[in-house]
Every structure is written in structure tokens, then in C-alpha cells.
Amino acid sequence: MRAKKEDRDEVVEAFVQEVVANLKGKRKNLTSSDRERMVNLFTQGFSYSLIAREYGVFPSTVLRLVQKFKCTGSSERLSGSGRRRKTTAKEDSLIVKEVRKNHHRVAVHRIRKDLELEKVSCQTIRRRITEFKRQGSHL
């Protein structure tokens, strides 16, 4: 009786690991070379589902990629696609100037008030400061 339970537990554990591994593969960012290869495979006659299985994505992802290629002639993301920034380049530079003035004690809500950025959240201002730091610029 105990052996059957242990065998069943092993089978369940293996199944769970397989499902988790498959889920991890479903949410991956595709490189530009991956996208090009996927389009090439489709033009060679491979099915959406076969290509999707090979790259660990959903067939609908391959479908949208191929449709984009047919419309634009490219598999790359279009420039300007995505969410628009809440701040302008000028506002970004003003935020950075404020931080440089008093880099020891940065009060995000104070920057927001001083620069009259009512429509911009404090979190967005923090993101702009972080972006600036990531660019390798020192405050």
C-alpha cells in the first residue's frame, strides 16, 4: 500500500514539474532573430502550432507575428508602439536637475509640487530618476 502511494506521489511530482516547466516557457521574450526564424519557418510551410511548440509560445503569438510581417514586411516592433510617456523630455531633464541640486535628500512629492507635475504620479518621478541612474549618469 505504501509503495503505491509513493509511486503516485512521484508521478504527481513529475507532472507538476513538467507543467511548471511548460508555463515558464510560455512567457518568454522573443529576440529579433527568433522572430525572423519563426516567419521563415512559416514561409517554408510549417504550421503555427508546430512553430509555437518549438519556441515555447502560443500559436496565436506566431499568427500575430506572421500577420505583422505580411502587413509591414518586418517582424520587428513598430517604433512608437507601446504606452506613451507621461512626462516630456524637458520634464525629465527638470526632474534630474532637481535631484542634482539636492541629491542627498530627494523628496519625490516635493519635486512633483515644485515642478507643477500634478498629472504625474510620484512613482513615475521615481522611475525617471531610476532611468537616469541606469544610463550611467551620476547625480
Side-chain angles (χ1 to χ4, degrees):
M1 186 78 144
R2 187 179 267 298
K4 287 183 180 180
K5 185 176 188 293
E6 288 173 1
D7 290 343
R8 189 180 67 205
D9 289 346
E10 288 177 21
V11 170
V12 169
E13 181 63 30
F15 175 74
V16 168
Q17 287 177 355
E18 183 180 334
V19 168
V20 169
N22 287 338
L23 287 176
K24 285 181 184 175
K26 296 290 184 192
R27 302 285 286 172
K28 83 181 213 183
N29 292 327
L30 296 170
T31 64
S32 58
S33 61
D34 285 341
R35 288 192 291 267
E36 286 177 24
R37 281 190 231 121
M38 291 169 83
V39 170
N40 287 338
L41 288 172
F42 179 77
T43 56
Q44 292 173 12
F46 290 93
S47 68
Y48 294 125
S49 58
L50 187 64
I51 298 168
R53 224 176 296 130
E54 181 69 27
Y55 284 90
V57 296
F58 291 105
S60 59
T61 303
V62 180
L63 171 72
R64 280 193 309 274
L65 183 64
V66 170
Q67 287 174 339
K68 182 191 293 186
F69 180 78
K70 287 178 181 177
C71 289
T72 64
S74 172
S75 58
E76 295 298 316
R77 285 186 64 218
L78 300 175
S79 63
S81 63
R83 185 177 178 142
R84 291 181 51 198
R85 289 175 71 94
K86 199 75 166 160
T87 58
T88 64
K90 184 176 181 178
E91 290 169 336
D92 291 346
S93 67
L94 290 173
I95 291 169
V96 170
K97 281 182 185 178
E98 285 293 317
V99 172
R100 279 186 169 157
K101 271 197 267 182
N102 190 9
H103 67 277
H104 297 293
R105 297 183 75 190
V106 177
V108 176
H109 64 280
R110 173 66 79 196
I111 292 172
R112 183 175 176 236
K113 184 178 178 186
D114 290 349
L115 298 179
E116 299 175 0
L117 300 172
E118 289 86 21
K119 294 183 179 181
V120 178
S121 71
C122 289
Q123 183 61 44
T124 299
I125 294 172
R126 283 188 202 95
R127 285 189 195 108
R128 298 303 177 260
I129 295 168
T130 303
E131 285 173 8
F132 180 74
K133 289 178 182 177
R134 280 192 193 140
Q135 291 173 354
S137 304
H138 298 286
L139 296 176

